[in-house]
Every structure is written in C-alpha cells, then in structure tokens.
Amino acid sequence: LLVVFIQLVCSNKLEHTSFEPPFMDTDSSGNRIIDSNWKSSGTAVVNTNFVRLTPDRQSKKGAIWSRKSIGVSSFSSIFKFRISGQGKNFFGDGIGLWMIQQSYYQEGSIHGSTEKFYGIGIIFDTFKNTENLHAHRDVTVVVNDGEKTWEMMTEDVKGCAANVRYHANRADFSVTDASRAKVVITENSMFVLYIDAGNTGEWIECVTLTDLPLKSDWAARSYIGITASTGALADNHDVLSLQVFSDSERMEEADFVLQSKKEFPSAEKEPTADRLMRLEETMNALMVRLNTLEHHMEHEFVSVEDHIKVMGSKLESRETNAEVRIEQLEETVRKQVDGKIAERINVIERQLKGTVDRKISSMGDNLERKMDVKVDKKVEKGVNNVANNNSGGEWKIPFAILLLLFLGGSIAFWRFYEKMKR
C-alpha cells in the first residue's frame, strides 16, 4: 500500500520544476548541478545538500532558473530555504521566489531579478530600510502585468511578518535550521501564501489574493526562478528544496510523509531473523558510507594541506621579492634625495656667492665714490687755504704740495687694494 501511495503522489509531482538533495549530477565541465532542468547563474554554487545563491559577502547576486515552464494552470508548491550569516544586527538582503513568464534569468535590482516581469514574485526581505520602514514586510508578494514599476507594485503592500533569518554565531544554530513557504495557485485566479518560518510544520497564512490581474494561462506559461542578492550588508542565502505538485491534496500528503519520514523505520511485525538481517544490511551500508566519507575527507584534507603549502611558498616568495623591491626603492629614493639635496646646496651656494659678491662690489663702489668726494673736497679746500694764506709765509706752499702728494698716494693705494680684493 505504501508503494502504491508513493506512486500516486509522485504521479502528481511536477518533476521538471521540483528538486531536493542530494545533488549528484555534474555538467560537461565537471561542475555540480541541480539537474538538467535547472540552470544556475551569478554566484550560485550547487553543493551536495544545498544550493548557495550568495555567500556571506558584499555585492553578490546569484540565481537558479527552471529551463521548462510550469505547464499547468493550477499548482501547489513548498519552497524550503535557509538565510543565515555572521552579522548580529546588520545583514541583508534576502531571497526572491519568482513565477513569471521569463524563460531565463535577467539580473536586476529586486533581490537580483528585474522589476519588469509578468507574473508573481515572493520576496523574503531581511534588510529593514529605515527610510521606508512603514512599507517593509519580512515577506512581500508583488504582482506585475509587465508594465508596473517597483513603486507601483508596492503602493499597496501585500505581505506579513516572519522571522526567516538565522544568526550563524548562535550556539544553537544548526544546518537543520530552515524556513518554508507554501504557495497555492488555483485556476480561478486565486493565490494563497503560507509561511512556516521555523520549519516546525506550523503554517501561518501570510497573503491571499483573489482575481489576479493576469491571463488565465499565465501560470502554465510561467517559469520558476529563485534569486538572492547582497549589497553593503550580506548573508548566506541557501536553497534546500522545491516541491511542485499539480494537486494540492497530493502535495499535503507528500509533505506529511516527508516530515514524518524516519531514517530507519521500525518493523515490529517482521520475523526476528529478517529484522536482524535488515539491521546487518543497514549497518553494512552505514560502514561503507563512513569509510567512503573518511576517504573523501582524507582526500580533501590532503588537497587543503597541499594548497596551504603552495600558498605558503608563494607568500614567502612574494615576501622575499617584496623585501628586494623595498630595498631597491629605498636605494632609489636615497639617491634621488641625496642628488636633490646636493643640487639644492649648490644652487644655494651659487645664489649666496652671487649675492655676497654683488653686495661687496656695491659697498666698494659706494665707498670709492664717497672717498673721491671727500678727497676732492679736501684738496680743493687745501688749495684755497694755500692761495689765501700765501702772503703769510712761504713755508706753507711746500707743506701743501706734500699734503696733496700724500692724498694722491692714499687714493692710488686704496684703488689697488680694491682691485686685488676682487
């Protein structure tokens, strides 16, 4: 009966738009992928157990986009994700879940996607902008007919409060922490969004929209995209799974089975021998997985160790090259400084010598002129005195002549001294 039930549930599951871990497929380049129905873009990286759209780093954008349209007019889906980071008070920006008529990812400003689209977008916004705090919702639903801007879509905000972000530095943080969103879209243009913020199985109705302003076949022609972005603030934005069903009842049943699934279900009604064999087979499988994990971890550690050694040698080489370069720069700077200082000293010496020479020459010329004037006055005065006193005694004439000769010799000696000094 269980097998029949699972087959019945799976028959209503839209496999081309659904995925869950582990992700084991790879592309031709060896990169891990979700599967052939999904394409990753930007900083999105597919790991074994989750898809990381953005790391906890600034200015990143990542996305995954379905290659095929949904194909049905009514469907239900459960989106499981995890937003976490090192920031305690400041973090952002969030995740966008898009069901729009766009067959490929287009990078934009609305959590990594473009604001011009046809369909519905669900935004999980972890950054509270103080400038627009009145319009902030932790979860916001936007509808666009292809013509509206972001401002027009958010004039009447549709959303709810939900704590869908985890602080990775908390002691109780675990990789099992997650949040879920359930979307139900019916053929009569009705949209309902439920939120299970803590992945506890308790759903809270967030938004209900009736009479969507979209064509009746919009859902069938839409693609599913999941985007995330970081700006000045950052967080890890991880996608864990997406289950899409054409029948909402079958989705609820599948979710119940998934939530109550046991890793090792009991088999009390089975014979003891069968139960022991089952235990042995399970233990053997676990031992094989542990051995494989040990081998894998050893392989990874060796690779990491080798990478660290290579990086260390590169850093040492760069350090040596940097020291040599610094010494060369210091020598170049020293030579340039010494040359400039010597050149500057020479210039100053030349300037000082020229200034001193000009000053001495000017002082000598001034002194020479003053001496000439004084000597001329003395000679003239002496001649006048000799002429006036000629009648007083003949002895004065020889004295005047000696005086004139003395003065003339003094002037000649002074000029000779000036020339020698120059």
Side-chain angles (χ1 to χ4, degrees):
L1 291 177
L2 180 61
V3 174
V4 173
F5 174 74
I6 293 175
Q7 290 177 345
L8 181 63
V9 169
C10 291
S11 65
N12 292 275
K13 185 178 181 180
L14 303 180
E15 296 290 349
H16 63 284
T17 54
S18 301
F19 59 82
E20 61 182 333
F23 305 116
M24 306 304 295
D25 295 346
T26 56
D27 59 16
S28 58
S29 300
N31 298 315
R32 193 180 301 275
I33 60 174
I34 295 175
D35 57 39
S36 59
N37 295 315
W38 288 84
K39 177 178 175 59
S40 58
S41 302
T43 58
V45 176
V46 181
N47 300 286
T48 303
N49 295 296
F50 61 93
V51 180
R52 175 149 293 175
L53 299 179
T54 73
D56 192 359
R57 297 292 181 269
Q58 295 177 333
S59 303
K60 304 297 181 182
K61 291 182 180 180
I64 55 175
W65 214 267
S66 65
R67 297 181 184 272
K68 298 179 181 179
S69 60
I70 297 173
V72 294
S73 297
S74 63
F75 65 90
S76 301
S77 65
I78 294 179
F79 171 49
K80 188 175 181 180
F81 62 98
R82 177 177 59 239
I83 302 176
S84 62
Q86 304 295 322
K88 184 177 181 180
N89 299 313
F90 302 100
F91 41 81
D93 288 332
I95 290 179
L97 172 62
W98 310 93
M99 293 157 285
I100 59 179
Q101 292 182 7
Q102 184 175 298
S103 60
Y104 56 91
Y105 169 61
Q106 286 184 323
E107 184 177 311
S109 59
I110 309 302
H111 291 277
S113 188
T114 178
E115 68 175 13
K116 289 297 181 70
F117 60 87
Y118 191 96
I120 295 178
I122 303 170
I123 297 172
F124 305 90
D125 191 356
T126 57
F127 175 64
K128 296 182 179 181
N129 191 337
T130 56
E131 297 179 357
N132 196 32
L133 195 58
H134 67 283
H136 174 82
R137 302 291 186 276
D138 295 329
V139 183
T140 302
V141 177
V142 290
V143 182
N144 199 342
D145 57 3
E147 301 296 331
K148 296 179 181 178
T149 63
W150 174 255
E151 288 73 19
M152 296 170 65
M153 287 186 286
T154 54
E155 285 180 354
D156 182 15
V157 181
K158 303 294 184 181
C160 63
N163 185 12
V164 295
R165 195 261 180 186
Y166 296 90
H167 183 208
N169 283 345
R170 284 178 57 97
D172 58 352
F173 174 76
S174 170
V175 293
T176 60
D177 291 337
S179 303
R180 298 194 300 165
K182 181 194 298 183
V183 178
V184 178
I185 295 176
T186 64
E187 291 183 347
N188 59 355
S189 298
M190 185 175 180
F191 169 93
V192 184
L193 173 65
Y194 303 89
I195 299 296
D196 176 12
N199 191 29
T200 60
E202 298 180 4
W203 294 100
I204 298 175
E205 184 174 336
C206 180
V207 175
T208 299
L209 301 176
T210 57
D211 298 326
L212 295 174
L214 303 172
K215 296 180 181 179
S216 58
D217 63 342
W218 77 270
R221 299 174 61 183
S222 293
Y223 295 76
I224 297 178
I226 306 172
T227 64
S229 66
T230 63
L233 304 176
D235 259 336
N236 296 313
H237 297 97
D238 299 336
V239 177
L240 303 178
S241 65
L242 177 65
Q243 306 292 332
V244 185
F245 290 81
S246 58
D247 189 312
S248 60
E249 292 183 2
R250 294 288 181 263
M251 183 191 71
E252 296 293 344
E253 293 169 353
D255 183 50
F256 175 77
V257 172
L258 185 63
Q259 291 296 103
S260 59
K261 179 182 176 181
K262 296 181 179 180
E263 295 295 335
F264 190 76
S266 61
E268 297 178 357
K269 296 181 180 181
E270 293 183 5
T272 302
D274 292 342
R275 295 176 66 185
L276 288 173
M277 182 177 295
R278 186 162 162 266
L279 284 171
E280 290 177 354
E281 291 175 350
T282 303
M283 287 298 297
N284 183 63
L286 285 174
M287 292 302 297
V288 170
R289 291 187 64 182
L290 285 174
N291 290 333
T292 303
L293 179 61
E294 182 182 5
H295 188 177
H296 178 75
M297 293 299 294
E298 183 181 12
H299 179 272
E300 292 296 323
F301 281 137
V302 170
S303 298
V304 170
E305 184 179 4
D306 181 66
H307 181 70
I308 291 174
K309 288 181 179 178
V310 171
M311 291 298 296
S313 63
K314 288 183 178 180
L315 288 174
E316 289 178 359
S317 176
R318 290 182 180 179
E319 183 179 3
T320 302
N321 292 335
E323 290 178 353
V324 173
R325 182 60 179 163
I326 290 172
E327 291 177 357
Q328 292 175 347
L329 289 173
E330 288 177 347
E331 181 65 20
T332 301
V333 171
R334 186 186 64 78
K335 289 180 178 179
Q336 291 180 351
V337 170
D338 291 345
K340 289 184 177 180
I341 290 175
E343 181 182 355
R344 184 60 179 165
I345 290 173
N346 292 334
V347 171
I348 293 173
E349 287 178 346
R350 288 195 297 269
Q351 291 177 347
L352 288 174
K353 186 176 182 301
T355 302
V356 171
D357 290 346
R358 287 192 299 272
K359 191 67 175 177
I360 293 173
S361 177
S362 176
M363 290 175 64
D365 292 340
N366 292 334
L367 182 59
E368 184 177 352
R369 285 194 298 270
K370 290 180 179 180
M371 288 295 296
D372 289 342
V373 172
K374 288 184 177 181
V375 169
D376 290 341
K377 289 182 178 180
K378 289 290 184 180
V379 170
E380 184 180 358
K381 184 177 180 182
V383 172
N384 291 333
N385 291 334
V386 170
N388 293 330
N389 299 323
N390 191 27
S391 60
E394 294 180 355
W395 63 272
K396 295 181 179 180
I397 294 175
F399 178 78
I401 293 171
L402 289 174
L403 180 61
L404 290 174
L405 291 173
F406 176 76
L407 291 174
S410 298
I411 292 171
F413 178 76
W414 173 257
R415 290 181 177 178
F416 175 77
Y417 170 74
E418 287 295 319
K419 288 180 180 181
M420 293 299 293
K421 186 174 67 174
R422 293 178 184 178

